[in-house]
């Protein structure tokens, strides 16, 4: 199995089969990154396609200063920023929206069943964007610090610092949640 760097070099020479292999390896994770930047699934998929077109056209610009995976994610992020900068925000008149049915009982059961996961997701969502972005790239997308540094165009030391701050904030937020649960009547310590 070829390394990503070797595949990218082959893509730079016009090898479509190698582009397909890179796509199969990295497109799902790249789509997750793009989806975090836009709430619209169709827009995220469009950005992903623009990303792979950009990879095809600019593979020869890969210099090996980061991993090929980091470079690909950087292309995806730039494409998303470019696309979203051009897009116009659509507005909807609230009077024209159909009424949403009330599924409160089912939602409550789901929330109670997934409280710990929900608390973690909320704690991550509450992080400042610059910390959340680094945390998700490292933990969800499984990128190394050097790759994250290239994608975000920041020094590796800044990535490490942001990860440290993110971990501390999450620990404090989750400790506060568990303290709140144990303080409730019937809560366990």
């Amino acid at each position: 199995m070829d390394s990503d760097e070797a595949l990218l070099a082959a893509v730079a020479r016009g090898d479509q089969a190698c582009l397909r292999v890179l796509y199969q390896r990295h497109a799902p994770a790249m789509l997750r990154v793009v989806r975090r930047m836009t709430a619209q699934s169709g827009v995220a998929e469009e950005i992903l396609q623009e990303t792979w077109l950009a990879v095809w056209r600019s593979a020869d610009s890969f210099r090996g200063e980061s991993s090929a995976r980091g470079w690909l994610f950087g292309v995806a992020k730039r494409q998303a920023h470019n696309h979203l900068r051009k897009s116009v925000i659509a507005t909807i008149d609230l009077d024209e929206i159909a009424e949403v049915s009330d599924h409160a009982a089912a939602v409550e059961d789901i929330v109670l069943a997934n409280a710990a996961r929900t608390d973690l997701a909320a704690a991550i969502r509450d992080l400042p964007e610059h910390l959340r972005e680094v945390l998700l790239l490292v933990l969800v997308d499984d990128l190394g610090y050097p790759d994250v540094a290239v994608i975000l165009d920041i020094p590796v030391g800044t990535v490490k610092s942001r990860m440290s701050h993110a971990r501390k904030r999450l620990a404090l937020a989750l400790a506060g949640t568990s303290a709140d649960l144990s303080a409730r009547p019937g809560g366990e310590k």
Side-chain angles (χ1 to χ4, degrees), residues 105-116 118 184:
V107 171
E108 185 176 319
D109 293 339
I110 292 169
V111 168
L112 291 174
N114 296 311
T118 302
R184 293 182 189 159

Side-chain angles (χ1 to χ4, degrees), residues 19-161:
L19 182 69
R20 275 191 294 279
V21 172
L22 282 172
Y23 181 89
Q24 290 167 349
R25 284 184 188 174
H26 300 289
M30 291 167 72
L31 184 59
R32 282 192 306 272
V33 168
V34 174
R35 279 191 176 149
R36 284 195 301 262
M37 299 174 77
T38 178
Q40 297 174 327
S41 183
V43 171
E45 291 171 6
E46 183 179 330
I47 292 169
L48 182 67
Q49 295 308 312
E50 290 171 7
T51 297
W52 285 100
L53 182 59
V55 167
W56 176 251
R57 291 178 177 160
S58 64
D60 61 342
S61 70
F62 174 68
R63 301 283 177 245
E65 296 164 356
S66 67
S67 70
R69 180 175 169 91
W71 184 82
L72 291 169
F73 276 71
V75 172
K77 190 159 180 139
R78 282 187 298 281
Q79 289 297 318
H81 282 294
N82 291 343
H83 185 89
L84 296 173
R85 191 174 33 239
K86 294 177 196 172
S87 66
V88 176
I89 297 175
T91 58
I92 298 172
D93 185 4
L94 292 178
D95 294 331
E96 296 176 15
I97 296 177
E99 204 155 311
V100 179
S101 62
D102 184 14
H103 298 290
V107 171
E108 185 176 319
D109 293 339
I110 292 169
V111 168
L112 291 174
N114 296 311
R117 190 173 72 204
T118 302
D119 292 341
L120 176 60
I124 291 171
R125 215 176 18 257
D126 290 343
L127 287 173
E129 184 179 351
H130 68 285
L131 298 180
R132 183 176 57 249
E133 186 172 44
V134 168
L135 181 85
L136 293 174
L137 286 170
V138 170
L139 298 181
V140 175
D141 298 316
D142 198 27
L143 292 170
Y145 290 177
D147 292 337
V148 173
V150 169
I151 292 168
L152 299 178
D153 195 27
I154 57 176
V156 174
T158 303
V159 173
K160 292 177 183 179
S161 173

